[in-house]
Amino acid sequence: MAFDPSKVRSDFPILAQAVNGKPLVYLDNAATTQKPLAVLDASRRYYEEINANIHRGTHHLARAATAAHEAARDRVARHLNASESAEVIFTSGATDSINLVAAILTLVPGDEVLVSALEHHSNIVPWQMLCERSGASLKVIPCHEDGTLDQDAFRALLSERTRLTAFTWISNAFGTVNPVREMCAAAKAAGSLVLVDAAQAIPHVRIDVRELDADFLVFSGHKVYAPTGIGVLWGRRSVLDALPPWRGGGEMIKEVTFERSTYNVLPFKYEAGTPNIEGAIALAAALDYIEGIGLEAIAAHEQHLIRRAAEGLSALTDLRLFGPDDRVGALSFGIHGVHHYDLGTLIDQMGVAVRTGHHCCQPLMARFGVTGTTRASFALYNTEAEVDTLIAAVEKALVMLR
Amino acid sequence: MAFDPSKVRSDFPILAQAVNGKPLVYLDNAATTQKPLAVLDASRRYYEEINANIHRGTHHLARAATAAHEAARDRVARHLNASESAEVIFTSGATDSINLVAAILTLVPGDEVLVSALEHHSNIVPWQMLCERSGASLKVIPCHEDGTLDQDAFRALLSERTRLTAFTWISNAFGTVNPVREMCAAAKAAGSLVLVDAAQAIPHVRIDVRELDADFLVFSGHKVYAPTGIGVLWGRRSVLDALPPWRGGGEMIKEVTFERSTYNVLPFKYEAGTPNIEGAIALAAALDYIEGIGLEAIAAHEQHLIRRAAEGLSALTDLRLFGPDDRVGALSFGIHGVHHYDLGTLIDQMGVAVRTGHHCCQPLMARFGVTGTTRASFALYNTEAEVDTLIAAVEKALVMLR
Amino acid sequence: MSIAEKQQQILEELSFLPGWQERYEYVIGLGRQLPAMSDKLKSSDKLIKGCQSQVWLDARAEDGHVRFSADSDSVITKGMIALFVRVLDGESPDAILSADLSFIDQTGLKEHLAPTRANALNLMATQMKQRALEIGAA
Amino acid sequence: MSIAEKQQQILEELSFLPGWQERYEYVIGLGRQLPAMSDKLKSSDKLIKGCQSQVWLDARAEDGHVRFSADSDSVITKGMIALFVRVLDGESPDAILSADLSFIDQTGLKEHLAPTRANALNLMATQMKQRALEIGAA
Ligand SMILES: Cc1ncc(COP(=O)(O)O)c(C=O)c1O
Ligand SMILES: Cc1ncc(COP(=O)(O)O)c(C=O)c1O
């Protein structure tokens, strides 16, 4: 195994608790991750030492807060290998980032937006709203029985009408890893803009936006050990410079008169109002934290756990695993004759936290003819013993339910 | 004096520091307030004890986090005396809240949006963008020399074409308190929707949305001792129920198919994606904190300080105070022949943090023929001694500059 | 037995079950025993859509009394509904309308439920009263 | 005196001023001594708009050398520009283009400035080199 999770568990005080008298086994990491002390301390230090409103201040605290906020932007840019920090726009989360892009694009009837069958509602509904507003149409890349996308169908759907292609790097429901580089290349060859939803990728894989060659990439801080309320839109400068602003307000303007306002440059053009300064700083601390352990070591550890879980669970009668064997992060399953909600309720009584339901992927659930699944998802602090507890809890619940 | 600030200063660790060897005197509270330990502890406790993604979770932590988040909504609703908690929508800040309202309104050419000359850019630019999009026109309520709004002109500007009237409760630049109840009544009598910007009001005055009778009221958490990245839109149910959603994504939907999505009820309809759960909980803690001291006692204390500052400063040669005598929260001044930026730079060297510049109110500055002012703004933890330090620092800077 | 007596009986039965496991087995057992509704009856106007599980509720008049049937795709949810059915089935509309259904809070079961499910239970109680009202007025 | 020598001289002058107050008085004094630009010269193409203060910069050729004049509504900003003007005024385009202007970082003044003002200083240095380039090429 790549690294020893027992060494890092003490960084996460929440994990030490008992639920219903049993030790908490937190396997709902695809929904949100827990936060290490380094991140909590960074937030707190910000407020205890340098909190001030940023950018326009002349005083000492305003200078310190501005410098820390911009250093956080640099840190994110470095993590993504962006060409410049100004391409990193802070938002309130992945959903906010996707809505930003959907709001600033102008489409006309006949234009097409292409999304995949694996998408989270946050990467579907904004495009539906854009299509409704503009008369463009939404096309869907179908997926195979094993939860991977049909690449032939994808290529057949691409045309000169495709204005924007949006797909997730890793499926939050099934853990499917899409061949994002190839998909970006194909979409761009067809002349489409490309948005990659990295909400699930950010804690598990190395992201290099220059190598990826997408136009937009989004993620949320809370899924990568940072707080809620902070997210990122990375956008290619040449694309964003040509697009209009979205939210209006302080900071995003150059000059305001009642007759006419002119807008600021990137990244401020898209950051109206007081940003989540603390959140940005804590996100930078979270990236420092995972890089301190090593993203590759974390990924290897998580892969080991997810394989162990898949093996153990697939031995149970009538259990069906969704998604391909080389899934990352999330493991989804269903059990014939057992409702996922009942299973989730019972294993919660045993201290095991998993997510049940549609995982904000109703169209994907419909495609597989289910109303939901049970999903265990993994983070750097999970252990082999926790995987074994999960399997034993599911077995015990099945005895009660059948 | 209503209460003794020395008793609460230890709740704010940041205030104990020295800047350039002098004790920090933080008088930039209209830009952002400092956070008491009770708020920092509430954030931290959330992450150390119950952090999970909310609403759809079956497990113990998800239940606890959901309950805490909804209790925070109830707390805000109670603070505003809202008819129901569902009228409280969490956003990322006041700017986000105003943009939300501007985005969901549909206007046509001939319609008018009325704003006041006192507004912050965040309460101007979203309406300009709405007017640009729709062909409606923006009208401006002018202000008198003393920085109060011209109420006769306001009434003359109201007509059956006025679709929305937006004004601030308290001016961030001058501390002017608008007669919001009367203004709401007049605008509603003319058939207009009304949005009240309570960004500056929230830390200083008691807000009762039922008594106020506006349709929308917005504020940011960070200006009322809560963290950055959380804000509120209160909206009247009958109005919001009839308006379309804005951001699309998880949580705000009822059912998603690729053909068509249906939307959730209030407040979720306007809360797409994972919200700033921690921020909402910390905001509730901040409201508890100020109510624990007593909003009326805080207001009386701040009034005492601002009057002392106004008296002391107005004794200085060539100094001009902006705004009316009964200003609240912020005190703005200019000194003939001295650039506000130079003044701010020098008093910062003496540990005094004020804001200089246009305060995101360029049209108001233009109205008064200045490029900016120096603004001292007050919070519950400020003291008489700090006011005296401010005055002495300004005097010393003037000696250096003249 | 009155509604209050039936509620008391349920609370007594549960008092013999100290652990979460026995209580859940009891609820699951109730869910199993409640007859399934025919697919014909499961029309969309009978459907109460929860966040995670679906519930069907039907009510009809029989000699001035209300007869309930209910179903769910989740057996635990179905067991919780069975508690209500056991208490209210066969009672008069008036008795149902004036019943205090807060006994469910005393079962200690609600604490284990997701807020959405707990809300679904409240919704369920409201719906049963609503149907009783319609039948009483008819 | 070469550009480097002039910079050295400024750093020496500042080294006699230990406190922030003396250093700011020095800068303010430089700002006062720098002649005001005529309103005619203060055209919008000469304006470098900062966040808080405005700066006007003019450059013209004189016998193959560059003559700078500058102004600002903020006297501290003007004093900071005066440091650059003192160093670069009257030099050849080539000398200006190859000058290392990082001496400003060693003055310790930049730490006291808002990031916007510090950026404005960098912008100022860039602009002065840009004008020198234009004059050299003309
Ligand atoms: C009156 C007023 N409105 C709106 C805002 C915008 O608030 P935020 O930047 O938190 O979105 C401010 C903040 O300065 C303000 O003072
Ligand atoms: C793949 C994917 N995209 C987008 C989102 C939305 O993220 P957020 O709710 O943080 O905005 C999620 C979160 O579940 C996700 O898993």
Side-chain angles (χ1 to χ4, degrees):
Chain A
M1 210 152 63
F3 88 111
D4 180 0
S6 69
K7 297 228 171 68
V8 298
R9 284 182 71 87
S10 56
D11 294 341
F12 297 84
I14 195 171
L15 298 176
Q17 75 186 279
V19 169
N20 202 21
K22 322 281 186 325
L24 168 66
V25 175
Y26 186 75
L27 294 173
D28 193 17
N29 296 288
T32 200
T33 52
Q34 301 304 338
K35 321 306 170 197
L37 289 170
V39 168
L40 301 183
D41 289 345
S43 288
R44 185 141 189 152
R45 217 162 35 236
Y46 169 71
Y47 286 121
E48 295 197 345
E49 294 174 9
I50 61 169
N51 173 56
N53 212 327
I54 58 175
H55 292 312
R56 281 170 311 270
T58 26
H59 59 74
H60 170 78
L61 291 182
R63 286 200 304 278
T66 304
H69 188 252
E70 294 311 306
R73 194 190 306 280
D74 296 341
R75 181 67 188 87
V76 173
R78 194 146 42 84
H79 191 78
L80 301 177
N81 195 28
S83 307
E84 44 167 331
S85 296
E87 291 186 337
V88 172
I89 291 153
F90 286 121
T91 66
S92 64
T95 301
D96 193 37
S97 300
I98 296 170
N99 277 276
L100 196 171
V101 175
I104 59 180
L105 293 180
T106 307
L107 300 186
V108 295
D111 285 351
E112 292 177 1
V113 175
L114 192 51
V115 301
S116 98
L118 293 171
E119 300 312 308
H120 186 279
H121 293 163
S122 290
N123 205 18
I124 299 173
V125 182
W127 309 120
Q128 283 185 321
M129 292 167 87
L130 168 60
C131 288
E132 211 166 285
R133 203 168 70 231
S134 64
S137 34
L138 190 73
K139 302 278 161 177
V140 184
I141 310 166
C143 75
H144 297 298
E145 263 319 288
D146 70 349
T148 61
L149 291 179
D150 182 336
Q151 295 295 329
D152 295 334
F154 169 47
R155 277 164 178 77
L157 280 163
L158 280 171
S159 78
E160 74 284 357
R161 287 188 303 276
T162 315
R163 285 282 154 276
L164 182 109
T165 308
F167 46 83
T168 192
W169 190 316
I170 297 179
S171 153
N172 67 305
F174 291 171
T176 311
V177 183
N178 286 320
V180 278
R181 273 179 67 184
E182 293 73 12
M183 291 178 71
C184 283
K188 297 203 57 112
S192 170
L193 290 171
V194 185
L195 180 142
V196 173
D197 178 353
Q200 293 298 331
I202 189 80
H204 303 301
V205 303
R206 186 155 301 284
I207 294 174
D208 181 328
V209 290
R210 273 189 269 186
E211 196 191 334
L212 187 62
D213 202 30
D215 298 290
F216 309 104
L217 180 136
V218 307
F219 67 89
S220 292
H222 73 91
K223 297 199 197 265
V224 63
Y225 310 102
T228 53
I230 185 77
V232 166
L233 165 65
W234 168 85
R236 185 186 295 283
R237 176 188 278 280
S238 58
V239 174
L240 285 182
D241 272 345
L243 288 168
W246 182 33
R247 279 180 284 232
E251 200 57 53
M252 60 73 75
I253 54 90
K254 216 168 93 193
E255 208 162 332
V256 176
T257 66
F258 280 122
E259 291 66 44
R260 188 166 160 276
S261 297
T262 51
Y263 303 114
N264 207 335
V265 295
L266 284 185
F268 311 113
K269 173 178 166 184
Y270 291 110
E271 294 181 355
T274 305
N276 187 348
I277 309 169
E278 166 214 331
I281 290 167
L283 171 56
L287 296 178
D288 284 343
Y289 181 80
I290 58 171
E291 291 294 2
I293 296 174
L295 194 47
E296 287 69 20
I298 293 169
H301 169 64
E302 291 164 342
Q303 275 313 92
H304 172 75
L305 297 182
I306 205 166
R307 280 204 209 99
R308 187 183 182 96
E311 263 169 44
L313 288 171
S314 59
L316 303 180
T317 328
D318 286 339
L319 190 140
R320 170 188 187 188
L321 293 181
F322 294 95
D325 286 341
D326 57 355
R327 59 180 73 77
V328 166
L331 173 68
S332 240
F333 58 96
I335 298 166
H336 187 75
V338 171
H339 196 281
H340 48 83
Y341 196 21
D342 293 333
L343 183 67
T345 302
L346 294 182
I347 70 174
D348 173 51
Q349 298 294 321
M350 301 179 235
V352 180
V354 296
R355 184 124 318 210
T356 61
H358 55 60
H359 317 297
C360 291
C361 294
Q362 288 179 347
L364 183 64
M365 297 297 121
R367 154 71 178 79
F368 281 85
V370 295
T371 58
T373 74
T374 301
R375 179 189 75 183
S377 54
F378 300 87
L380 61 91
Y381 40 67
N382 291 124
T383 66
E384 283 190 354
E386 289 184 317
V387 170
D388 298 343
T389 303
L390 164 72
I391 297 164
V394 172
E395 277 192 277
K396 181 168 177 180
L398 290 184
V399 171
M400 289 176 68
L401 286 164
R402 297 210 268 223
Chain B
M1 207 154 65
F3 88 111
D4 180 0
S6 69
K7 297 226 173 69
V8 298
R9 283 183 71 87
S10 58
D11 294 341
F12 297 85
I14 195 172
L15 298 176
Q17 74 187 279
V19 169
N20 201 22
K22 322 282 187 321
L24 168 65
V25 174
Y26 185 75
L27 294 173
D28 193 17
N29 295 288
T32 201
T33 53
Q34 300 303 338
K35 320 306 170 198
L37 289 170
V39 167
L40 301 183
D41 289 345
S43 288
R44 183 140 191 153
R45 216 162 36 235
Y46 169 72
Y47 286 121
E48 294 197 345
E49 295 174 8
I50 60 169
N51 172 56
N53 212 327
I54 58 173
H55 293 310
R56 281 170 309 269
T58 24
H59 58 75
H60 170 78
L61 290 182
R63 285 201 304 278
T66 303
H69 188 252
E70 293 311 307
R73 195 190 305 280
D74 296 342
R75 181 68 188 86
V76 173
R78 194 146 42 84
H79 191 77
L80 301 178
N81 195 27
S83 308
E84 44 168 331
S85 297
E87 291 186 337
V88 171
I89 292 152
F90 286 120
T91 66
S92 63
T95 302
D96 193 36
S97 300
I98 297 170
N99 277 277
L100 196 171
V101 175
I104 59 181
L105 294 181
T106 307
L107 300 187
V108 296
D111 285 351
E112 293 177 0
V113 175
L114 191 53
V115 300
S116 98
L118 293 170
E119 299 314 306
H120 186 279
H121 293 162
S122 290
N123 205 19
I124 299 173
V125 183
W127 309 120
Q128 284 185 320
M129 293 166 87
L130 167 60
C131 288
E132 211 166 285
R133 203 167 70 229
S134 63
S137 33
L138 190 72
K139 301 278 161 179
V140 183
I141 309 167
C143 75
H144 297 299
E145 265 317 290
D146 71 349
T148 60
L149 291 180
D150 182 336
Q151 295 295 329
D152 295 334
F154 168 44
R155 277 164 179 79
L157 280 162
L158 280 170
S159 76
E160 74 284 357
R161 288 188 303 276
T162 316
R163 284 284 152 279
L164 182 108
T165 308
F167 46 83
T168 193
W169 189 316
I170 297 180
S171 153
N172 67 304
F174 290 171
T176 311
V177 184
N178 286 319
V180 279
R181 271 177 69 185
E182 292 73 14
M183 290 179 72
C184 282
K188 298 204 57 113
S192 170
L193 289 171
V194 184
L195 180 142
V196 173
D197 178 353
Q200 293 298 330
I202 188 81
H204 303 300
V205 302
R206 185 156 303 283
I207 295 174
D208 181 328
V209 290
R210 274 189 270 184
E211 196 191 334
L212 187 64
D213 203 31
D215 298 291
F216 309 104
L217 180 137
V218 308
F219 67 89
S220 290
H222 72 92
K223 297 201 197 261
V224 63
Y225 310 102
T228 53
I230 185 76
V232 165
L233 166 65
W234 168 84
R236 184 186 294 284
R237 177 187 278 281
S238 57
V239 174
L240 285 181
D241 272 346
L243 288 168
W246 183 32
R247 278 180 285 232
E251 201 55 53
M252 60 73 74
I253 54 90
K254 216 168 94 192
E255 210 163 329
V256 175
T257 66
F258 280 122
E259 290 69 41
R260 187 167 162 278
S261 297
T262 52
Y263 302 114
N264 207 335
V265 294
L266 285 186
F268 310 114
K269 173 178 166 185
Y270 291 110
E271 293 181 354
T274 305
N276 187 347
I277 309 170
E278 166 214 332
I281 291 167
L283 171 56
L287 296 177
D288 284 344
Y289 181 79
I290 56 171
E291 291 293 2
I293 296 174
L295 194 48
E296 287 69 20
I298 292 168
H301 169 65
E302 291 165 341
Q303 276 312 95
H304 172 75
L305 297 181
I306 205 166
R307 280 204 209 100
R308 187 184 182 95
E311 264 169 45
L313 288 171
S314 58
L316 303 179
T317 327
D318 286 339
L319 189 140
R320 170 189 187 186
L321 293 181
F322 294 95
D325 285 342
D326 57 354
R327 59 179 73 77
V328 166
L331 172 67
S332 239
F333 58 96
I335 298 167
H336 187 74
V338 170
H339 197 280
H340 49 81
Y341 196 22
D342 293 334
L343 182 68
T345 301
L346 293 183
I347 71 172
D348 173 51
Q349 298 295 320
M350 303 179 235
V352 180
V354 296
R355 185 126 316 212
T356 61
H358 54 61
H359 317 297
C360 289
C361 295
Q362 287 179 346
L364 183 65
M365 297 296 120
R367 154 70 178 78
F368 282 83
V370 295
T371 58
T373 74
T374 302
R375 180 189 73 184
S377 53
F378 299 86
L380 62 90
Y381 39 68
N382 290 125
T383 65
E384 283 190 354
E386 288 184 318
V387 170
D388 299 343
T389 303
L390 163 72
I391 297 164
V394 172
E395 277 192 276
K396 180 167 178 178
L398 291 185
V399 171
M400 291 177 68
L401 286 165
R402 296 210 270 222
Chain C
M1 234 191 303
S2 72
I3 290 181
E5 284 163 350
K6 285 189 269 185
Q7 293 182 354
Q8 198 47 48
Q9 195 182 47
I10 289 173
L11 291 176
E12 266 164 38
E13 286 168 21
L14 278 164
S15 72
F16 291 108
L17 307 172
W20 71 271
Q21 191 170 341
E22 291 85 355
R23 285 176 175 241
Y24 269 98
E25 280 166 350
Y26 171 84
V27 171
I28 293 166
L30 290 177
R32 288 252 171 65
Q33 285 156 32
L34 193 69
M37 271 166 77
S38 69
D39 281 350
K40 210 175 62 212
L41 262 180
K42 283 182 178 173
S43 58
S44 67
D45 63 314
K46 306 255 158 35
L47 179 63
I48 304 170
K49 224 167 180 160
C51 191
Q52 295 246 359
S53 60
Q54 304 190 325
V55 169
W56 293 267
L57 176 70
D58 185 47
R60 63 197 156 80
E62 198 180 276
D63 305 332
H65 296 261
V66 187
R67 301 304 311 263
F68 288 105
S69 46
D71 207 344
S72 172
D73 51 355
S74 148
V75 69
I76 296 177
T77 304
K78 195 173 171 189
M80 302 292 284
I81 310 165
L83 288 172
F84 285 117
V85 171
R86 181 167 147 195
V87 165
L88 299 179
D89 184 43
E91 298 289 339
S92 71
D94 278 356
I96 294 170
L97 283 169
S98 59
D100 172 8
L101 294 176
S102 62
F103 82 106
I104 203 81
D105 297 336
Q106 298 162 51
T107 59
L109 287 164
K110 229 171 161 180
E111 290 139 43
H112 299 293
L113 300 176
T116 44
R117 195 173 230 169
N119 284 342
L121 277 186
N122 292 339
L123 191 64
M124 185 65 46
T126 313
Q127 287 276 341
M128 291 175 95
K129 289 197 172 202
Q130 178 65 33
R131 304 284 164 99
L133 184 68
E134 288 159 14
I135 285 174
Chain D
M1 234 190 300
S2 73
I3 289 180
E5 283 162 349
K6 285 188 269 186
Q7 293 182 351
Q8 198 49 47
Q9 195 182 45
I10 288 172
L11 290 175
E12 266 164 37
E13 285 168 20
L14 278 164
S15 71
F16 291 109
L17 307 172
W20 70 269
Q21 192 171 340
E22 291 84 356
R23 287 178 172 237
Y24 270 98
E25 280 166 350
Y26 171 84
V27 171
I28 292 166
L30 289 178
R32 288 249 172 66
Q33 286 157 32
L34 193 67
M37 271 166 78
S38 68
D39 282 351
K40 211 176 61 210
L41 262 179
K42 283 182 175 173
S43 59
S44 69
D45 64 314
K46 306 254 158 34
L47 179 64
I48 304 169
K49 226 170 179 157
C51 191
Q52 296 244 1
S53 60
Q54 305 190 324
V55 169
W56 293 267
L57 177 71
D58 184 47
R60 63 198 157 77
E62 196 180 278
D63 305 333
H65 296 261
V66 186
R67 301 306 309 263
F68 287 107
S69 46
D71 208 341
S72 173
D73 50 355
S74 148
V75 69
I76 296 178
T77 305
K78 195 173 171 190
M80 302 290 284
I81 310 166
L83 288 173
F84 285 118
V85 171
R86 180 166 150 195
V87 165
L88 299 180
D89 184 44
E91 298 290 340
S92 71
D94 277 358
I96 293 169
L97 283 168
S98 59
D100 172 8
L101 294 177
S102 62
F103 83 107
I104 203 79
D105 297 336
Q106 297 163 52
T107 59
L109 287 164
K110 228 171 162 179
E111 289 140 42
H112 299 294
L113 300 176
T116 45
R117 197 174 226 166
N119 284 342
L121 277 186
N122 293 338
L123 189 64
M124 185 66 45
T126 313
Q127 287 277 340
M128 291 176 95
K129 289 198 171 202
Q130 179 65 34
R131 305 283 164 97
L133 185 67
E134 288 159 16
I135 286 173

